[in-house]
Amino acid sequence: MRIVLLGAPGAGKGTQAKKLIEKYGIPQISTGDILRKAVADGTPLGKEAKSYMDKGELVPDSVVIGLVKERLAQDDCKKGFILDGFPRNTAQAETLDGVLAEMGMPLQVALSVDVDLDILMKRLTGRRTCRGCGQMYNIYFGPPRKEGVCDKCGGELYQRDDDREETIRKRLEVYEAQTAPLIDYYQGKGILKRVNGEGDINKIFEEVCRILDEATQ
Ligand code: AP5
Ligand code: MG
Ligand code: ZN
C-alpha cells in the first residue's frame, strides 16, 4: 500500500498513520517527525529547520525532498509506505511523482482527512505527545489515564513547540495557501479519496481502512 495522507495541521494524519502501521505493517514517513528529531538531536539539519518550524513556515523544499528520497530508498519501503506531511506543495508533489516513477512504485491513493477549521485549534493546543513512543493524546478529546504519562509505554508527554496559538494560525494559513491545492492536484491524477476526520478516532480508522482496501485491492 503506497499512500499519502493529506490534511490540515491537527486533522489527525499522525493519529491515523500510527494505527495504519499496526494494521498493515508498513512504515510511516512523517517529515515533521524526522525534522523534530533532527532539532532534538541538534544536528545541522535540525538547526536549519528549527527557525522555519518555530514560525510555522515550510522548511525549504531542497531539505525535505532530500530526507524523503533517502527514507524511501530504505528496504522497508518496498512493501509500501504512508507519507504523512509530505508533499506539502506542488513542487514537492511533482518531485515525489518523479522519484516514485523511477523506483517503479507509484502512489496508489492520496487520502484527504477533512476537519472543520474551528475544531483544529482546540485539537492542536490540546495535543500532547509521548517522548518514548510518539503516541498522541489530547487533553480535551483523549487524555491519558494519568496526566503527563503515556498509557502505552509510561513515557513522558510533551507539548510541541509549534503548538502555540500564533504559530498554529500561521500553519493553518500556510496549509490553505500551499498544501490545500494538492487536493486538486491528486484529483487530477485520479487517485484522490476523502474521509471525514471528525468524530471517534476508531470509527474514522474503520472508514480509512475501508477506503484504502477498496482503492488498493
Ligand atoms: P508536521 O509535523 O507535519 O505538522 P502538521 O502538518 O502541522 O500536522 P500535525 O502533526 O500538527 O497534525 P496531524 O494531522 O498529524 O494531527 P495529529 O494526529 O497529531 O509539520 C510540522 C512542521 O514541520 C511544519 O510546520 C514545517 O515547518 C515542517 N515540515 C514538515 N513537513 C514538511 C514538508 N513536507 N515541507 C516543508 N516543511 C515541512 O492530531 C492532532 C491532535 O488531535 C492530537 O492531540 C490528537 O490526539 C487529536 N485527534 C486526532 N484525531 C482526533 C479525533 N478524531 N477526535 C478528537 N481528537 C483527535
Ligand atoms: Mg502529525
Ligand atoms: Zn509512549
Side-chain angles (χ1 to χ4, degrees):
M1 188 176 282
R2 298 181 300 275
I3 65 170
V4 164
L5 294 179
L6 291 174
K13 302 179 295 292
T15 300
Q16 296 298 326
K18 293 269 177 299
K19 297 175 79 67
L20 290 168
I21 301 175
E22 273 176 32
K23 173 158 178 178
Y24 294 98
I26 51 174
Q28 167 199 21
I29 305 178
S30 160
T31 39
D33 287 352
I34 297 171
L35 292 168
R36 274 185 292 282
K37 176 153 192 317
V39 171
D41 292 346
T43 64
L45 165 70
K47 291 196 177 111
E48 185 184 353
K50 188 174 177 358
S51 58
Y52 296 97
M53 296 172 81
D54 284 349
K55 283 186 274 187
E57 288 170 5
L58 295 185
V59 172
D61 290 347
S62 55
V63 173
V64 282
I65 288 171
L67 291 175
V68 171
K69 268 192 196 166
E70 210 175 281
R71 184 64 189 84
L72 282 169
Q74 289 171 22
D75 257 0
D76 60 340
C77 292
K78 290 210 175 81
K79 57 189 174 183
F81 50 80
I82 306 154
L83 281 164
D84 161 8
F86 183 94
R88 272 292 225 281
N89 58 30
T90 311
Q92 291 181 13
E94 284 169 350
T95 308
L96 176 68
D97 281 343
V99 169
L100 292 177
E102 239 170 64
M103 298 176 90
M105 42 187 214
L107 283 177
Q108 294 168 295
V109 184
L111 179 62
S112 170
V113 182
D114 300 330
V115 173
D116 215 62
L117 212 74
D118 46 305
I119 299 182
L120 297 172
M121 182 59 80
K122 200 160 182 190
R123 281 200 188 174
L124 291 168
T125 51
R127 172 166 52 195
R128 300 292 182 273
T129 309
C130 175
R131 277 198 205 285
C133 72
Q135 177 65 40
M136 259 91 61
Y137 297 88
N138 196 287
I139 58 170
Y140 306 116
F141 303 116
R145 283 194 291 273
K146 183 161 182 259
E147 197 189 319
V149 180
C150 178
D151 291 350
K152 283 195 167 167
C153 77
E156 179 204 358
L157 304 186
Y158 75 98
Q159 185 167 18
R160 266 170 52 175
D161 287 342
D162 60 350
D163 280 346
R164 284 173 288 122
E165 217 172 299
E166 330 80 74
T167 317
I168 294 171
R169 265 184 236 292
K170 179 67 187 176
R171 285 160 58 204
L172 293 171
E173 254 174 59
V174 168
Y175 172 78
E176 281 303 327
Q178 303 197 45
T179 312
L182 293 183
I183 291 176
D184 283 345
Y185 177 89
Y186 288 115
Q187 178 90 59
K189 305 254 167 201
I191 60 167
L192 182 78
K193 301 282 174 197
R194 306 189 81 136
V195 67
N196 177 357
E198 294 176 24
D200 180 72
I201 289 174
N202 292 317
K203 289 258 163 57
I204 297 168
F205 184 62
E206 275 175 30
E207 186 59 13
V208 165
C209 293
R210 195 190 60 72
I211 293 169
L212 295 179
D213 287 339
E214 193 183 280
T216 59
Q217 67 187 354

